Amino acid sequence: MTTTYRNDDLLPLIEEAYAAFSSGDRVKASAFRAKINIRLRKRGEDPSTFWQTFQQAAEILQAN
């Protein structure tokens, strides 16, 4: 069973993780990434697939 989510609930966590990482707080960034992974697993999604797709999207956006 596949369910599509818009991931709107993940955006605040991703923003917090990015802000923490940008400021050099890798521990806090890692904690936010763990929270995101937990939410994804609760949905039955694979976090590694999410992060792969997220990286690809970021690379495409950066190239444009």
Side-chain angles (χ1 to χ4, degrees):
M1 178 175 141
T2 303
T3 305
T4 303
Y5 290 91
R6 295 191 60 213
N7 296 322
D8 290 343
D9 63 324
L10 300 180
L11 291 176
L13 293 173
I14 292 169
E15 289 171 349
E16 290 283 344
Y18 179 75
F21 183 81
S22 295
S23 69
D25 191 347
R26 294 177 194 260
V27 173
K28 189 173 181 180
S30 179
F32 279 112
R33 184 172 171 142
K35 285 183 181 184
I36 294 166
N37 289 348
I38 290 167
R39 284 197 187 177
L40 291 168
R41 284 189 193 101
K42 283 183 179 179
R43 295 179 183 171
E45 295 182 35
D46 179 27
S48 63
T49 302
F50 173 83
W51 290 114
Q52 247 181 345
T53 305
F54 186 83
Q55 181 180 1
Q56 290 171 346
E59 289 171 356
I60 291 169
L61 289 172
Q62 187 178 21
N64 290 324

